[in-house]
Amino acid sequence: MKVFGWRVPMMFSLVVWLVVWEIIGQAGWMFLIPPFTDVLRASFELLGSESFHKSAGVTLSAFASGMGIAIAAGIPLGVLMGRVDAVDRLLGMWVNVFVSAPLTALVPIIMILFGFGQTTIIVTVMLFAIWIIVLDTRAGIRSVNPSLIDMARAFCASRFQLYTRVLILAALPEILAGIRLGLIRGVKGVVIGQLLVAIIGLGELFELYSRNFLMDKFWAVTILLFAFAIAASSLIEMLERRVEYYAGARG
Amino acid sequence: MSDQVAQAAQSAGSDPIVRVTGISKRYEGGVQALEGVDLDFPEGRLTSLLGPSGCGKTTLLKIIAGLLEPNAGEVQVAGRRVTGPGPERAFVFQDFALLPWATVTRNVAFGLELQGISKAERREKARHYIREVGLTGFEDRYPHELSGGMRQRVGLARAMAVDADVLLMDEPFSAVDEQTRRKFQEDLLHLLSVEKKTVIFVTHSIEEAVYLSSQVVLLSRRPGRVSKIIPTDLGGLESPDAIRRSKRYLDTVEDIWGMLKQYLLEDEIK
Ligand SMILES: Nc1ncnc2c1ncn2[C@@H]1O[C@H](COP(=O)(O)OP(=O)(O)OP(=O)(O)O)[C@@H](O)[C@H]1O
Ligand SMILES: [Mg+2]
């Protein structure tokens, strides 16, 4: 970003916005917006509090399970769609529908099917995350250089070896991109799921704080959630950069 | 060179190691790529496949490799019918087909890795063939750090390392610049005189075909058929330059060009 020809670092614009937030908060125009420093203090208090640890643990475990299932099922499905035309034709339409559908609308149905518990949250995370992983994996497998496949076969690779030593590795950049996007969607899934179920994990806290107008705590939970989403996605991004050289050398 | 002649005389009486009979191939979509191809490839020699673009050279090579199924006919290698890829055949690819995430050593040893050979033995063999193709010092480099010529040397070393009797090479030097190519051709001839392989070599270059091979197979336009087999043994000449200047070499190149020109003229009339 440049202002009057000066290079402004990203962090600086963030600081400006936080200062604006602080001023609005201190002025006390809207009770919905407490001063940022209060939110910050609440964040630290939360980080040290027992109830937050418990809630965050529940949320995190639902998120991790949902993502785990999405990855473990999404990659094989994407590989299958990338390799077998019949499967691709059979499932392609549905995957494309789900990847862009407003999945929030389905959460109530999941609640009816799986009850008001952890299972619903896990299924929601899975449902939000899996489709983009499937699609990106499929795209990665489809873009593997065909002569790499011929090469593996010519050197007598078994079917298993072809997949594990060539196809998956060659498609790794796309698969990782899919996981990163899936992760972001998964965070959305866990938030929406818990807000709707509202009796477990961070959802319970959200419900508690907003009902009692504890806005500083409410914003603190939100910010911690954002921070987690950004951290998780940059972690995958770092991994992506490490395997980036593939893409260039794949030709 | 002189022991190549002796070998040629010896193999003249012996059975061909690769025998192609009545091969036809029609692709889905209706392209008839090959029709009734009969060919023998004598053991221990280099045979070039030459023909107009799109006449089915790659298709024939892939059928011999077992990567493609013919619609009719069969391929025998050392008396056994080919039903798929096998360890007695190795392929060198036009676009190198190296694993971009693997070092030179791992790429060269990839065929051995797939065969389940122990790591120590793999390293040992890989190192040997890396030296043979002149890449010592580049063991731990990645393909994208190498020039085109060096990448193809890796491809050649990988094919050598599995110790197959038959090397199938599809325009291996076409993505390599002219000087590198000449050096590479000489190195290949030297390597083959040491390693005693049967090579089936697809090329677009008449000069390359005549220079490298003991016979040139001329294929007709699509659907590819064998149009002529030209013996090209230039044995007895010691240096590459002597071969390139010899009357036999120049005459043979001229003859083949005359025949290929025919196809081009017919194409233009159409
Ligand atoms: N997978 C495929 N499906 C359909 N047609 C194909 C396929 N592969 C090749 N062909 C067609 O079959 C014919 C022979 O192809 P092939 O690649 O064997 O020719 P070639 O002699 O190697 O050509 P070039 O000299 O350009 O390398 C061509 O007309 C090509 O278009
Ligand atoms: Mg070809």
Side-chain angles (χ1 to χ4, degrees), chain B residues 150-224:
Chain B
M150 289 158 91
R151 287 185 209 181
Q152 193 53 293
R153 283 170 191 271
V154 176
L156 183 62
R158 176 177 61 195
M160 292 290 206
V162 292
D163 203 19
D165 300 322
V166 182
L167 282 188
L168 307 167
M169 306 176 87
D170 189 6
E171 300 192 40
F173 305 149
S174 64
V176 165
D177 67 75
E178 182 61 27
Q179 292 107 29
T180 317
R181 187 173 179 143
R182 284 212 175 188
K183 178 79 174 72
F184 209 144
Q185 289 167 356
E186 283 166 24
D187 290 353
L188 178 66
L189 279 185
H190 173 74
L191 206 57
L192 293 177
S193 69
V194 179
E195 296 274 341
K196 309 267 186 283
K197 308 262 184 209
T198 307
V199 182
I200 306 176
F201 190 98
V202 170
T203 175
H204 267 126
S205 157
I206 305 172
E207 284 83 1
E208 180 168 270
V210 176
Y211 176 65
L212 286 177
S213 31
S214 12
Q215 61 173 11
V216 174
V217 173
L218 207 61
L219 294 174
S220 69
R221 274 180 318 176
R222 208 180 70 213

Side-chain angles (χ1 to χ4, degrees), chain A residues 90-125:
Chain A
L90 197 68
L91 301 178
M93 194 189 84
W94 292 110
V95 173
N96 275 297
V97 165
F98 277 118
V99 87
S100 49
L103 293 168
T104 314
L106 291 180
V107 177
I109 300 174
I110 299 171
M111 270 168 19
I112 293 167
L113 286 175
F114 296 96
F116 287 82
Q118 189 78 332
T119 321
T120 294
I121 311 294
I122 293 173
V123 173
T124 306
V125 171

Side-chain angles (χ1 to χ4, degrees), chain B:
Chain B
M1 286 295 152
S2 61
D3 73 20
Q4 271 194 347
V5 177
Q7 215 186 333
Q10 207 176 39
S11 67
S14 69
D15 281 340
I17 182 164
V18 178
R19 170 161 266 173
V20 170
T21 35
I23 288 284
S24 294
K25 175 68 190 179
R26 186 187 193 87
Y27 280 106
E28 282 171 49
V31 177
Q32 187 78 37
L34 296 168
E35 199 162 271
V37 174
D38 297 304
L39 270 176
D40 283 348
F41 297 89
E43 185 161 11
R45 300 223 253 160
L46 195 151
T47 303
S48 292
L49 299 177
L50 204 60
S53 194
C55 72
K57 303 180 291 291
T58 299
T59 306
L60 180 58
L61 209 62
K62 283 191 175 170
I63 289 173
I64 296 172
L67 294 171
L68 273 180
E69 287 255 0
N71 297 96
E74 67 167 23
V75 176
Q76 288 193 348
V77 176
R80 253 184 308 187
R81 191 190 165 144
V82 163
T83 55
E88 75 289 348
R89 282 158 289 150
F91 212 110
V92 178
F93 292 83
Q94 179 175 7
D95 62 355
F96 324 133
L98 303 180
L99 305 174
W101 57 85
T103 60
V104 167
T105 302
R106 174 134 188 252
N107 266 294
V108 170
F110 190 62
L112 305 168
E113 180 185 329
L114 293 176
Q115 291 172 8
I117 286 167
S118 80
K119 193 158 188 180
E121 196 177 333
R122 256 152 48 197
R123 283 200 82 82
E124 188 59 36
K125 274 205 175 152
R127 187 169 318 138
H128 173 76
Y129 285 100
I130 287 170
R131 176 151 36 82
E132 292 276 277
V133 299
L135 281 181
T136 306
F138 292 90
E139 288 86 351
D140 297 322
R141 296 298 186 86
Y142 288 87
H144 67 98
E145 299 174 307
L146 306 178
S147 69
M150 289 158 91
R151 287 185 209 181
Q152 193 53 293
R153 283 170 191 271
V154 176
L156 183 62
R158 176 177 61 195
M160 292 290 206
V162 292
D163 203 19
D165 300 322
V166 182
L167 282 188
L168 307 167
M169 306 176 87
D170 189 6
E171 300 192 40
F173 305 149
S174 64
V176 165
D177 67 75
E178 182 61 27
Q179 292 107 29
T180 317
R181 187 173 179 143
R182 284 212 175 188
K183 178 79 174 72
F184 209 144
Q185 289 167 356
E186 283 166 24
D187 290 353
L188 178 66
L189 279 185
H190 173 74
L191 206 57
L192 293 177
S193 69
V194 179
E195 296 274 341
K196 309 267 186 283
K197 308 262 184 209
T198 307
V199 182
I200 306 176
F201 190 98
V202 170
T203 175
H204 267 126
S205 157
I206 305 172
E207 284 83 1
E208 180 168 270
V210 176
Y211 176 65
L212 286 177
S213 31
S214 12
Q215 61 173 11
V216 174
V217 173
L218 207 61
L219 294 174
S220 69
R221 274 180 318 176
R222 208 180 70 213
R225 294 192 184 86
V226 178
S227 115
K228 204 162 172 51
I229 298 176
I230 304 133
T232 47
D233 249 329
L234 298 163
L237 295 168
E238 294 301 327
S239 75
D241 295 326
I243 296 176
R244 285 209 162 91
R245 260 184 262 124
S246 75
K247 187 162 168 15
R248 256 200 81 190
Y249 168 80
L250 294 169
D251 285 351
T252 315
V253 168
E254 222 30 61
D255 283 352
I256 295 175
W257 170 230
M259 293 179 237
L260 275 172
K261 205 156 55 178
Q262 211 56 41
Y263 294 131
L264 293 177
L265 284 176
E266 283 168 30
D267 272 341
E268 267 176 31
I269 290 165
K270 272 189 181 171

Side-chain angles (χ1 to χ4, degrees), chain A:
Chain A
M1 195 170 72
K2 278 189 173 186
V3 176
F4 302 122
W6 287 75
R7 245 190 60 81
V8 183
M10 274 294 285
M11 280 313 272
F12 184 73
S13 83
L14 188 64
V15 168
V16 169
W17 283 112
L18 292 181
V19 168
V20 171
W21 180 349
E22 180 70 18
I23 291 169
I24 295 176
Q26 292 290 355
W29 291 330
M30 281 179 281
F31 88 95
L32 274 181
I33 305 180
F36 177 67
T37 40
D38 288 3
V39 174
L40 209 61
R41 192 175 323 112
S43 300
F44 282 112
E45 272 168 28
L46 267 182
L47 277 176
S49 81
E50 187 73 19
S51 70
F52 178 78
H53 284 175
K54 238 178 72 201
S55 304
V58 169
T59 299
L60 206 63
S61 94
F63 178 74
S65 314
M67 279 310 296
I69 298 171
I71 292 170
I75 292 176
L77 197 61
V79 170
L80 211 61
M81 282 174 65
R83 290 288 292 169
V84 186
D85 281 333
V87 176
D88 193 40
R89 272 195 296 274
L90 197 68
L91 301 178
M93 194 189 84
W94 292 110
V95 173
N96 275 297
V97 165
F98 277 118
V99 87
S100 49
L103 293 168
T104 314
L106 291 180
V107 177
I109 300 174
I110 299 171
M111 270 168 19
I112 293 167
L113 286 175
F114 296 96
F116 287 82
Q118 189 78 332
T119 321
T120 294
I121 311 294
I122 293 173
V123 173
T124 306
V125 171
M126 199 273 291
L127 198 70
F128 271 68
I130 193 170
W131 310 110
I132 191 71
I133 297 178
V134 172
L135 271 192
D136 275 14
T137 303
R138 172 189 176 278
I141 294 288
R142 295 241 155 186
S143 70
V144 174
N145 182 355
S147 82
L148 226 47
I149 300 170
D150 274 345
M151 185 279 289
R153 289 185 54 215
F155 285 99
C156 307
S158 66
R159 188 168 289 238
F160 182 73
Q161 284 173 326
L162 173 65
Y163 279 86
T164 54
R165 307 217 182 173
V166 177
L167 286 172
I168 300 277
L169 292 174
L172 203 55
E174 282 87 354
I175 294 177
L176 282 178
I179 291 178
R180 180 168 49 80
L181 295 174
L183 217 64
I184 293 167
R185 286 165 174 238
V187 171
K188 238 165 137 184
V190 84
V191 170
I192 289 169
Q194 293 198 338
L195 282 181
L196 291 182
V197 174
I199 52 168
I200 49 175
L202 294 178
E204 193 187 357
L205 290 186
F206 268 122
E207 177 72 12
L208 185 74
Y209 298 152
S210 59
R211 202 201 303 274
N212 297 306
F213 303 110
L214 298 168
M215 292 327 285
D216 51 348
K217 290 200 167 157
F218 176 85
W219 283 114
V221 177
T222 310
I223 282 180
L224 290 175
L225 212 60
F226 279 16
F228 169 75
I230 291 170
S233 112
S234 12
L235 202 75
I236 304 282
E237 213 170 318
M238 247 163 61
L239 215 65
E240 275 181 84
R241 259 198 298 276
R242 284 193 59 179
V243 296
E244 205 168 46
Y245 67 87
Y246 290 113
R250 206 152 43 177

